[in-house]
Amino acid sequence: MLRIHFTPEDLARTRISTAPHPMWETLLSLYRLRRRTGEVVFAQWRRSAGPQAPADTRLLTDLVPPSGYAADFLTPVTDGLTLADGLEALRRTPRRRLSQDLSVLAGARRLPSWTTALAEGRPEAVTRLADAVEQYFEACLAPYWTRITGHLGRERARQTALVADGGWERVLEDLHPTARWHYPVLELGYPVDQELHLGGRGLQLVPSFFCQGLPTTLFDGDREPVLVYPVRHEPGWSAPDGTRTSLASLLGRTRARVLAAIGESPCTTSEVARRTATTLPTASQQASALRGAGLVTSRQNGQSVLHSITSLGLALLAGGPS
């Protein structure tokens, strides 16, 4: 469990990121590239982007294991939200921070020999790492960045509306299915128990495209507080435009959205309605039609009906109709 402790000043200083964070998306996409989870959303991107990853991507995967802690210095906090801003901050990382973060990482896994020069702050090692980040981003993320930016822009607009409607407390309650807000503490699901005391610094909320499952934050609570959390996705986002639009043409826009919502994870009819911003009767009707076509299955789960996607539905989402 992650517990974030607020003061009145922290609520006033909480803000939502105005654009995607290239460094966070780079780091989190490395998890998605190597894990066989989130197949509905990320499988097509993984098949397309994986073969394009440059050879020096291995420098990044040395610092970003398949699970668990990744070096904090890979996601510096910057005033600007461009890749250039992040790379410049990475190149200026103090030697003490490099050494400290690598020491934490070495406590969980054996590090390759090249990281010794990085821990010592040698310019050539830091420059090579920054170059590896840039090359990976350009090969694997840049072709999709416009879509990612648009998706996160819509999420920010939705949350801005929540602020206007119910204040920051409404936003904090809506951040994640595990979020529990009881002033002055926000509790969230987390792999380990961690306390984050904001102490008047405020909190930067960062909706992330490549974050999946639980939210994440920096290991070092003394650094500028940030909370990175996943957003809901539309399967097929990485497909060519013609493929992405063909599913809506085949099924209809509402039914395609319902199929995509069930494809995210098994869910009740009420949850389908919430994910797709439709009414409960509409969600039930569309789920029934998809079940009749063999794209979803439904079973009684207490007083609710739980819907799951079938292999046929997964295939349709992954590639669109052939």
Side-chain angles (χ1 to χ4, degrees):
M1 182 73 70
L2 173 64
R3 299 176 183 85
I4 304 177
H5 300 260
F6 287 75
T7 67
E9 292 80 6
D10 292 313
L11 282 175
R13 293 172 181 166
T14 294
R15 63 258 186 228
I16 304 170
S17 176
T18 58
H21 279 236
M23 301 299 280
W24 271 109
E25 297 298 346
T26 294
L27 182 146
L28 293 167
S29 72
L30 291 166
Y31 289 115
R32 306 287 78 79
L33 195 64
R34 292 175 293 164
R35 290 182 186 174
R36 291 300 182 263
T37 56
E39 287 293 286
V40 170
V41 175
F42 295 111
Q44 191 169 49
W45 169 80
R46 188 183 297 121
R47 289 194 297 268
S48 300
Q52 306 303 318
D56 270 359
T57 300
R58 65 175 182 81
L59 302 182
L60 308 183
T61 56
D62 286 341
L63 305 179
V64 184
S67 61
Y69 173 77
D72 277 353
F73 60 72
L74 289 172
T75 52
V77 177
T78 58
D79 292 332
L81 296 179
T82 67
L83 179 64
D85 294 321
L87 293 175
E88 179 59 25
L90 177 58
R91 293 186 181 101
R92 292 187 285 102
T93 305
R95 175 181 174 179
R96 178 184 59 82
R97 181 165 295 176
L98 292 168
S99 176
Q100 176 182 320
D101 290 357
L102 288 172
S103 177
V104 174
L105 192 59
R109 62 183 309 202
R110 185 173 181 177
L111 297 180
S113 58
W114 74 268
T115 60
T116 300
L118 185 63
E120 294 172 352
R122 297 183 192 175
E124 65 274 14
V126 178
T127 297
R128 187 183 179 195
L129 177 62
D131 289 346
V133 172
E134 183 174 22
Q135 293 163 13
Y136 171 79
F137 182 93
E138 292 298 328
C140 298
L141 297 188
Y144 310 97
W145 199 245
T146 299
R147 298 179 191 179
I148 292 170
T149 299
H151 191 86
L152 294 182
R154 291 189 291 274
E155 175 65 15
R156 187 178 193 277
R158 186 186 71 83
Q159 291 182 315
T160 301
L162 287 179
V163 174
D165 184 54
W168 282 112
E169 293 187 353
R170 180 71 181 90
V171 174
L172 296 176
E173 292 171 347
D174 182 74
L175 280 179
H176 192 264
T178 65
R180 300 292 181 269
W181 170 251
H182 302 287
Y183 180 82
V185 179
L186 173 65
E187 294 183 342
L188 296 143
Y190 207 62
V192 298
D193 283 332
Q194 184 169 330
E195 308 284 335
L196 176 57
H197 293 267
L198 300 180
R201 295 172 294 170
L203 180 66
Q204 183 178 109
L205 300 174
V206 181
S208 169
F209 195 86
F210 283 99
C211 185
Q212 186 185 36
L214 297 176
T216 188
T217 188
L218 297 172
F219 177 79
D220 188 347
D222 292 333
R223 300 179 188 178
E224 185 172 341
V226 59
L227 181 68
V228 182
Y229 54 95
V231 297
R232 290 186 287 272
H233 294 87
E234 296 178 1
W237 64 270
S238 62
D241 288 338
T243 302
R244 290 190 297 147
T245 57
S246 59
L247 184 58
S249 299
L250 178 68
L251 300 179
R253 291 186 179 276
T254 301
R255 195 165 296 166
R257 291 206 313 272
V258 169
L259 180 63
I262 297 173
E264 288 183 30
S265 60
C267 54
T268 63
T269 307
S270 297
E271 178 64 11
V272 171
R274 187 185 71 81
R275 292 181 184 182
T276 57
T278 59
T279 65
L280 191 61
T282 297
S284 177
Q285 180 185 19
Q286 300 297 348
S288 177
L290 292 170
R291 182 171 60 252
L295 301 178
V296 304
T297 61
S298 305
R299 64 178 176 83
Q300 200 68 31
N301 184 37
Q303 296 185 350
S304 302
V305 176
L306 189 67
H307 307 287
S308 303
I309 196 165
T310 65
S311 57
L312 178 60
L314 280 173
L316 196 59
L317 284 176
S322 59

